[in-house]
């Protein structure tokens, strides 16, 4: 059975099951629970140029079949990543994709080049964290006043500009992570494609909130956070479906995937690979269970090549 | 080494109005557990509630007849997860991650001739009972003389494990919020009364504590006032339990080279922290 996924001519995954940024730490946290080498790819927790302490607690709330988080990209910075985490990760079999984020274009470029120099092959540009304030200069006025942080991925021109700047300066395999907090995901997806990203990943979490009716306070110190988990799966699937139909580059689909059937749905909608996020918290071994479940599905359907299900949703 | 295992429920019994004791056979785990470490339980197959729930181990018990080691927890029903857990019966399985967290550091000879206080609030008695049992194993019989167990709870019904501490031969002082047993008030007030009366602070008392955050906050204040040293185990809403999601953090002082405070994970860097290491934010 062929499970290999080709994301472009020289970047392929040995299978379509990956783990999503921020839900798998730097992989070592999971090494006792799962054979990391079986994964298709590992997305690291998002890395920033300088250490970031993150948001004050409470940072996490459980909601119906889901959870809110407002971590605020806590990380030790790129220098620490290359010194202390990369040596472990680079020895693993799966593709390692370093997720990076910044509040301006210069820092995105800096991060990409720094990681490329360290020998990293692929980065994910996280343009869509709902819990940090970005300094998006382009069309900023449009977004002021709605109370939400402004993120690159909410504006096609801002998305285009930042990807273009990174594209010009590096040969890395570039994945761009999009936000569901937009009216038209296809416009952003196309902007990212035309700026030269090699692939898209979506979705990041939905802006959301919860209030404690006894204290009358928001349950998150950050007031709002990002909703993830099985509650968002149908919403995510719709966006992945639309994005896949609007671009030619490969799409990595995620949002609430809890089992193999969920993963197959995303692939039928057009995703070439899938990312497991919140489900890792529920069961640290789940990514491999999902991989085996996909294999079982293919066997039952007598399909010998995983690529044969990608985008095979029947519309009539 | 961390494990993911199936726990086989041997007993799940109500011991007080909202408090349960659960005993489980988790092959291969008992030998690895330290006092203060916890298990992360998946309560059911459903996605609602979604996340695991953390519980401290309070005791490892030899099962009569077959020599198997049973892992015991006690828990209070406070919300949906614990409610579902309380309905589980003998023979059902629970998926468990463990042993998680770093546990209490029993500083052994560092405690020589010092008063040792174990201060528990509510279900905080659980990990402290495990610690007390371990102290008995690791020290000479006269060590107990220096130890006092302070236990506080909302009311007399929820004062659990007092008999067990008694059986181990420890001195115990009790408090309840409603005065239905022991001192009326908070356990830290009881401790402060003791400190005022006995003036033991020149002997550099050492405290091990676990309880609600408000209690630990009060204890930190006492520690400043009476120069107490020790360790506290902190409770916070938790996500992955293995240090990946960064959801269950507390702000801690960074002592080395005067750097600014930073967030540490309860699940991985804790749940045990040094007294007065935490900067309480909520
Ligand atoms: C390291 C550690 C060890 C623990 N050991 C024990 C133990 O031995 N025995 C025991 O009874 N409990 C213990 N707890 C607390 C226990 O995990 C929570 O009571 C439990 O997760 C609540 O789940 P629930 O679904 O019933 O409540 P939920 O429905 O999730 O919540 C009900 C209410 O309680 C609050 N809440 C939820 N989780 C926590 C929490 N972790 N701490 C404080 N408030 C919370 C919620 O905000 C909500 O208001 C421990 C917690 C930690 C972090
Ligand atoms: C606790 C937590 C932390 C996250 N951190 C990041 C992050 O650092 N960078 C990022 O791009 N996405 C982050 N995400 C988003 C996930 O990668 C994923 O896009 C999202 O959770 C949807 O998938 P899921 O429903 O399967 O979790 C985080 C999600 C959670 C729950």
């Amino acid at each position: 059975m062929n499970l290999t996924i080709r994301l472009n001519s020289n970047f392929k995954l040995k299978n379509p099951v990956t783990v999503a940024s921020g839900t798998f730490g730097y992989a070592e946290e999971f090494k006792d629970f799962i054979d990391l080498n079986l994964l298709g790819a590992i997305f690291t927790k998002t890395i920033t140029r300088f250490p970031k302490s993150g948001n004050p607690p409470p940072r996490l709330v459980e909601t119906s079949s889901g959870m809110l988080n407002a971590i605020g990209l806590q990380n030790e910075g790129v220098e620490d990543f290359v010194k202390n985490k990369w040596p472990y990760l680079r020895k693993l079999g799966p593709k390692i994709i370093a997720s990076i984020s910044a509040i301006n274009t210069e820092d995105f470029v800096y991060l990409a080049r720094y990681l490329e120099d360290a020998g990293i092959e692929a980065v994910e540009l996280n343009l869509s964290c709902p819990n940090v304030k970005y300094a998006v200069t382009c069309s900023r006025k449009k977004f002021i006043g709605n109370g939400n942080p402004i993120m690159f991925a909410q504006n096609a021109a801002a998305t285009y500009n930042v990807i273009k700047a990174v594209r010009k300066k590096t040969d890395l395999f570039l994945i761009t992570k999009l936000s569901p907090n937009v009216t038209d995901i296809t416009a952003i997806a196309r902007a990212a494609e035309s700026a030269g990203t090699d692939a898209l990943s979506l979705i990041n979490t939905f802006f959301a909130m919860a209030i404690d009716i006894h204290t009358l306070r928001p349950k998150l110190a950050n007031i709002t956070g990002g909703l993830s988990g099985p509650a968002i799966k149908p919403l995510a699937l719709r966006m992945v479906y639309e994005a896949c139909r609007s671009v030619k580059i490969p799409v990595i689909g995620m949002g609430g995937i809890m089992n193999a059937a969920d993963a197959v749905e995303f692939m039928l909608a057009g995703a070439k690979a899938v990312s497991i996020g919140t489900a890792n918290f529920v069961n640290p071994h789940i990514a491999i269970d999902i991989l085996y479940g996909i294999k079982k599905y293919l066997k039952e359907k007598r399909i010998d090549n995983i690529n044969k299900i990608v985008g095979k949703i029947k519309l009539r | 080494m961390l494990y993911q295992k199936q726990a086989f429920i041997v007993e799940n019994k109500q011991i007080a109005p909202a408090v349960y004791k659960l005993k489980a056979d988790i092959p291969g785990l008992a030998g690895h557990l330290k006092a203060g470490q916890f298990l992360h339980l998946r309560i059911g197959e459903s996605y609602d509630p979604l996340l695991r729930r953390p519980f401290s181990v309070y005791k490892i018990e030899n099962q009569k007849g077959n020599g198997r080691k049973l892992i015991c927890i006690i828990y209070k029903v406070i919300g949906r997860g614990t409610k579902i857990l309380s309905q589980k019966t003998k023979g059902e399985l629970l998926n468990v991650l463990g042993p998680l967290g770093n546990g209490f550091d029993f500083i052994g000879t560092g405690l020589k001739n010092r008063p040792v206080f174990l201060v528990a609030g509510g279900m905080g008695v659980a990990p402290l009972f495990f610690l007390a049992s371990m102290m008995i194993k690791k020290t000479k019989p006269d060590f107990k003389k220096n130890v006092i167990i302070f236990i506080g709870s909302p009311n007399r019904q929820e004062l659990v494990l007092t008999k067990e501490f008694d059986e181990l031969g420890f001195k115990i002082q009790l408090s309840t919020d409603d005065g239905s047993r022991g001192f009326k008030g908070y356990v830290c007030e009881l401790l402060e009364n003791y400190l005022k009366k006995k003036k033991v602070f020149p002997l550099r008392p050492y405290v091990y504590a676990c309880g609600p955050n408000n209690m630990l906050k009060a204890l930190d204040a006492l520690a400043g006032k009476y120069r107490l040293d020790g360790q506290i185990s902190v409770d916070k809403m938790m996500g992955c339990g293995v240090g990946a999601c960064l959801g269950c953090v507390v702000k801690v002082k960074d002592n080395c080279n005067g750097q600014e405070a930073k967030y540490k994970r309860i699940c991985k860097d804790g749940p045990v922290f040094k007294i007065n290491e935490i900067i309480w934010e909520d």
Side-chain angles (χ1 to χ4, degrees), chain A residues 20-22 45-46 69 73 126 177 203-204 228-229 254-256 277-278:
Chain A
S21 177
K45 171 75 188 162
T46 294
N69 89 81
L73 298 186
N126 176 4
K177 185 151 181 191
I203 57 173
N204 210 315
S228 67
M254 79 193 88
T278 302

Side-chain angles (χ1 to χ4, degrees), chain A residues 32 53 57 59 62 282-283, chain B residues 2 4 51-53 246 281:
Chain A
D32 290 346
S53 58
R59 290 178 171 185
E62 194 180 48
V282 178
N283 174 3
Chain B
L2 309 178
Q4 179 171 22
L51 298 171
R52 288 171 180 266
R53 298 291 191 267
L246 309 176
E281 287 185 302

Side-chain angles (χ1 to χ4, degrees), chain A residues 25 29-30 32-33 53-60 62 64-66 71 74 76 258-259 281-285, chain B residues 1-4 42 47-53 97 236-237 240 242-247 249 262-263 281-282:
Chain A
E29 293 88 337
F30 284 79
D32 290 346
F33 299 114
S53 58
N55 289 326
R59 290 178 171 185
L60 197 142
E62 194 180 48
S64 300
S65 299
I71 309 299
Q74 179 179 340
E76 298 288 332
M258 298 301 290
N259 52 46
F281 305 161
V282 178
N283 174 3
H285 191 265
Chain B
M1 182 82 185
L2 309 178
Y3 301 90
Q4 179 171 22
R42 177 118 170 80
Y47 298 150
D48 192 20
L50 181 66
L51 298 171
R52 288 171 180 266
R53 298 291 191 267
L97 306 182
K236 264 270 165 77
M237 173 74 195
C240 68
V242 300
C245 75
L246 309 176
V249 296
K262 59 196 240 173
Y263 287 114
E281 287 185 302
D282 55 320

